[in-house]
Amino acid sequence: ANLNPAAGPMAGAQAEQDAGRAVHWLIERRDVEDVIGWIRISKSEVQANTGELGFWLGSASHGLGFATEAVGDAVRAGFDRL
């Protein structure tokens, strides 16, 4: 069994990226090189010229600024890549 909580949501990431519909990243702590979450930017399937952002962050990493940093980086990259 895969115990990595990021594995499930990331399973379809490559297909979405290959199709140009989304960009996915793992969120990693630099100091311990540990995956602590994931983040995804995608084109909206409902409204043209809009996007969606989703993320998951392990509870031990809440309140430490990791999501804030990841969201800023992902939004910038999303504009560049999508």
Side-chain angles (χ1 to χ4, degrees), residues 2-25:
N2 187 337
L3 300 179
N4 182 343
M10 296 300 290
Q14 192 63 52
E16 282 190 323
Q17 288 186 171
D18 291 347
R21 292 189 311 264
V23 185
H24 300 252
W25 297 270

